[in-house]
Amino acid sequence: MNDRFLKLIELSIKAHWEFPALTDHKAPTFYYKDVAREIAKMHLLFEQAGIRKGDRIALVGRNSSRWVIHFFSILTYGAVAVPILHDFKTENIHHIVNHSEARMLIAAAQSWEHLSKQAMPDVQLFLAIEDGRPFHSRIPGFEQVYEQLDALFSKKYPGTFTPEQISYHVEQPDELAILNYTSGTTGFSKGVMLPYRSLWSNTQYAYDRLPFVYPGDSLVSMLPMAHMYGLAFEILNGINKGCHIHFLPRIPNPKSVIESLQRNRPTLIIAVPLIIEKIIRNNVFPVLRKPLVRVLYRLPVFKQIINGMIRKQLNDAFGGNSFEIVIGGAAINKEVETFLRSIRFRYTVGYGMTECGPLVAYEQWDTFKQGSVGRIVDRMEVKIDSDDPENVAGEIIVRGMNNMLGYYRNPEATAEIMVGDGWMRTGDLGTLDRDGFLFIRGRNKTMILGSNGQNIYPEEIESLLNELPYVSESLIVKRKDLLHALISPEWEKAKDNGLSDDDLAGVIREDLKQLNRRLPGYSKVAGFDLHREPFEKTPKQSIKRFLYQNENS
């Protein structure tokens, strides 16, 4: 069987044995040969702990080199990885560990401080991500096994550990590889069962369609690896290509992210819209609104010069070496996208979902069509549930190698999303143009039915709201048959401009009046509330809509 994910990983580790692989912030580098050695040690621990192929092993902690090593140790052994976002609430982590029937938990020390072994009664072994040391064991004598690990390794691999000694689990296409729990934006956590064929298909696509990434190139891991978007294209793709993956400081901030990008100069950057939008709206748009710049910008020659300067500054901010920035995980603001396109910035927008591990659509930046999310990827099919798929939005339904097996221990939810003959509902609404580009028009579950029966897609209104000068993020909800906006404003910007809270509310009220003049009658926003705190988000930085649907309704 040639189409094997673990075979890709095994061959890459052997081929790039002397290449740098993983580096934490201000820490020594793991080379591919070091990664292989650590994986072999973890396999010995699993054997001594009685872990069998197919057993679940949960993994919780911030992005780090050791996280990656443990993740690949689990898969190459033949166990099932259960990655858990480190900032999930304690009770959510307990629930996922128990629901997944995990026999082992590998946790960062910071996460372990908040967990209770009594709340996870079926877990036999709790290990530290940092060094594999047991936090607690229900296996008699296991502490001694850990202390003797080096001796066990030397006995099994006497002399020098070589690439020829690597032999990983031989998986089947539909065998379960990852059990990924996602909170989603409109509901509660489900365990997505991703088979090896999905991992292989996504990783092979990245190998084939991102030819500008070479062995030894740098990547910077910015997205949570417990979520499939970051895991697939920063980690699985990076390791398969023989790249050198760098990790951010333990608690990153915008300054440290930019410093890491400029220091490590990644070839490919995987980002969510929030990162790009904040840079453009906070650092670029204010400059373009200055009176002199606005005058010059109207003149074609000066506009071209200014755009070139901005493009260079943006490229330099992202390290100056990136062939492309791929934006995904949520919709990008239309004003920001139009501006990026106008200055010929090397960005593209992809589309996917955890249930597809995650990719559904992508197109390289120079052939990408603005407003779309790319073309359908290899080994996947898409159809639009509409009589006129090119012009009338319908639900996007997908089929192919990337699709999940179903939701773990949740046949009702599985039956709801799977529609027969391998097709799967996405819950997203879209159109497909004659060139094969997919356009997202909204989410089926967020659609609001207007008083006269019109279908209202709140994302379209939110996109316009987010273009207002003092609006950072927004949500449209229905209250007493009227549309209402929940707004997270630019509080700091308002303060810098001398606006009180009442002044800010007044400015937004006037801006909203102007916006309503541009909207159809059934889409007009009747009122708004200002949120002091940012909206709570999922791992891919989408707002958890379900938390706000009934707010003060």
Side-chain angles (χ1 to χ4, degrees):
M1 185 174 59
N2 295 321
D3 301 343
R4 286 183 48 229
F5 170 75
L6 291 179
K7 191 66 175 178
L8 294 179
I9 301 306
E10 181 178 327
L11 291 175
S12 179
I13 290 176
K14 290 177 177 178
H16 306 111
W17 194 253
E18 298 291 343
F19 281 55
L22 308 166
T23 303
D24 291 315
H25 181 65
K26 295 182 178 179
T29 293
F30 287 93
Y31 285 71
Y32 278 85
K33 61 184 178 182
D34 302 321
V35 171
R37 185 183 182 89
E38 294 302 314
I39 287 174
K41 283 187 174 183
M42 287 304 299
H43 286 181
L44 288 173
L45 274 183
F46 295 162
E47 289 172 9
Q48 295 296 317
I51 296 296
R52 301 179 301 271
K53 292 183 185 295
D55 282 349
R56 282 76 165 131
I57 300 178
L59 182 60
V60 57
R62 295 180 185 274
N63 290 12
S64 69
S65 297
R66 286 285 181 184
W67 194 105
V68 175
I69 289 169
H70 291 307
F71 174 81
F72 281 108
S73 297
I74 295 167
L75 294 192
T76 55
Y77 183 80
V80 176
V82 186
I84 304 174
L85 196 69
H86 74 275
D87 52 6
F88 272 173
K89 293 179 180 177
T90 300
E91 56 268 30
N92 290 345
I93 295 175
H94 289 157
H95 166 72
I96 290 171
V97 170
N98 293 329
H99 186 268
S100 67
E101 302 175 297
R103 292 196 64 227
M104 182 184 291
L105 171 64
I106 306 176
Q110 187 180 35
S111 298
W112 177 249
E113 290 176 5
H114 306 287
L115 299 176
S116 165
K117 58 181 180 290
Q118 288 81 13
M120 298 174 282
D122 295 328
V123 176
Q124 298 301 300
L125 189 60
F126 302 87
L127 300 182
I129 275 183
E130 291 78 6
D131 57 8
R133 184 178 299 276
F135 286 126
H136 178 75
S137 172
R138 294 184 171 117
I139 302 171
F142 190 82
E143 287 79 3
Q144 288 73 31
V145 170
Y146 175 80
E147 298 300 333
Q148 297 167 5
L149 184 58
D150 286 338
L152 288 170
F153 183 85
S154 297
K155 182 178 179 180
K156 183 166 184 177
Y157 303 104
T160 304
F161 185 63
T162 65
E164 292 71 32
Q165 291 169 301
I166 293 177
S167 180
Y168 293 151
H169 172 63
V170 178
E171 78 277 20
Q172 297 300 312
D174 278 325
E175 183 180 337
L176 180 60
I178 298 176
L179 197 47
N180 195 270
Y181 285 80
T182 172
S183 58
T185 55
T186 56
F188 298 98
S189 194
K190 303 184 195 75
V192 177
M193 296 190 290
L194 289 172
Y196 275 102
R197 59 169 162 74
S198 178
L199 271 58
W200 173 82
S201 183
N202 275 277
T203 306
Q204 187 65 46
Y205 181 86
Y207 186 88
D208 295 335
R209 303 294 181 173
L210 305 177
F212 48 85
V213 179
Y214 293 95
D217 281 359
S218 284
L219 299 179
V220 174
S221 175
M222 294 193 293
L223 302 181
M225 295 186 297
H227 189 266
M228 284 310 301
Y229 181 33
L231 179 62
F233 296 102
E234 290 174 342
I235 307 305
L236 306 188
N237 171 49
I239 294 297
N240 183 48
K241 289 251 184 175
C243 295
H244 184 185
I245 304 169
H246 301 266
F247 297 94
L248 300 172
R250 192 171 65 85
I251 304 178
N253 55 51
K255 182 182 178 183
S256 67
V257 170
I258 294 298
E259 286 176 350
S260 181
L261 291 170
Q262 293 175 343
R263 180 173 61 254
N264 298 308
R265 305 184 74 240
T267 306
L268 170 70
I269 294 175
I270 305 296
V272 293
L274 196 61
I275 296 172
I276 307 297
E277 288 172 9
K278 280 194 172 183
I279 291 173
I280 300 299
R281 297 179 68 181
N282 294 342
N283 300 99
V284 177
F285 284 170
V287 173
L288 294 177
R289 292 189 181 111
K290 289 181 178 180
L292 178 59
V293 177
R294 290 176 69 175
V295 171
L296 292 174
Y297 207 66
R298 294 192 189 103
L299 304 173
V301 174
F302 285 102
K303 181 178 181 178
Q304 188 174 358
I305 293 171
I306 293 169
N307 282 347
M309 292 171 61
I310 293 171
R311 183 172 59 250
K312 185 179 186 308
Q313 288 175 349
L314 282 176
N315 286 333
D316 290 346
F318 288 109
N321 191 47
S322 61
F323 178 88
E324 179 176 86
I325 295 178
V326 181
I327 302 170
I332 186 171
N333 177 271
K334 289 181 180 178
E335 183 187 23
V336 171
E337 182 176 12
T338 298
F339 175 75
L340 291 175
R341 192 72 170 178
S342 72
I343 66 170
R344 292 285 292 168
F345 186 66
R346 290 173 173 255
Y347 85 97
T348 188
V349 179
Y351 167 69
M353 56 193 298
T354 302
E355 289 84 347
C356 290
L359 207 54
V360 174
Y362 163 86
E363 182 72 13
Q364 192 168 292
W365 78 274
D366 50 348
T367 48
F368 168 75
K369 185 177 290 190
Q370 182 182 340
S372 78
V373 290
R375 288 187 171 103
I376 311 310
V377 301
D378 300 344
R379 296 171 292 279
M380 289 293 287
E381 301 174 77
V382 164
K383 63 181 180 181
I384 307 296
D385 189 11
S386 165
D387 292 335
D388 184 4
E390 191 172 339
N391 300 298
V392 179
E395 184 171 7
I396 302 166
I397 303 175
V398 299
R399 178 171 69 177
M401 191 80 81
N402 295 6
N403 278 14
M404 69 170 182
L405 298 170
Y407 295 117
Y408 188 58
R409 297 171 60 191
N410 195 338
E412 295 83 6
T414 301
E416 201 173 296
I417 194 172
M418 306 303 290
V419 293
D421 200 22
W423 290 99
M424 183 174 72
R425 298 186 181 278
T426 66
D428 291 321
L429 299 168
T431 55
L432 193 66
D433 75 8
R434 63 187 60 190
D435 297 320
F437 282 92
L438 182 64
F439 293 79
I440 306 299
R441 304 303 185 191
R443 280 193 64 82
N444 203 13
K445 290 184 179 179
T446 62
M447 187 188 75
I448 297 171
L449 190 65
S451 56
N452 293 326
Q454 304 93 339
N455 292 338
I456 301 170
Y457 303 115
E459 294 89 348
E460 294 180 355
I461 305 172
E462 291 157 7
S463 179
L464 296 172
L465 271 172
N466 294 344
E467 293 175 9
L468 299 180
Y470 289 100
V471 177
S472 174
E473 295 180 295
S474 62
L475 277 179
I476 293 294
V477 297
K478 191 176 182 180
R479 288 190 187 167
K480 298 177 181 177
D481 292 326
L482 298 173
L483 298 183
H484 197 86
L486 308 180
I487 294 172
S488 176
E490 298 275 8
W491 293 107
E492 289 300 319
K493 180 179 176 181
K495 183 179 178 182
D496 292 343
N497 290 337
L499 298 180
S500 67
D501 289 1
D502 287 342
D503 293 336
L504 175 60
V507 170
I508 290 177
R509 187 174 293 108
E510 289 304 311
D511 287 343
L512 190 55
K513 286 181 182 177
Q514 296 297 322
L515 176 60
N516 273 334
R517 293 192 178 102
R518 299 162 52 193
L519 295 172
Y522 61 83
S523 291
K524 292 187 186 300
V525 181
F528 68 93
D529 291 333
L530 301 184
H531 271 239
R532 178 62 63 176
E533 298 297 326
F535 296 117
E536 191 170 337
K537 297 183 178 66
T538 69
K540 63 178 183 179
Q541 297 300 299
S542 299
I543 298 171
K544 293 184 177 179
R545 289 180 177 273
F546 65 92
L547 296 178
Y548 304 96
Q549 295 300 324
N550 299 317
E551 189 175 282
N552 299 322
S553 57

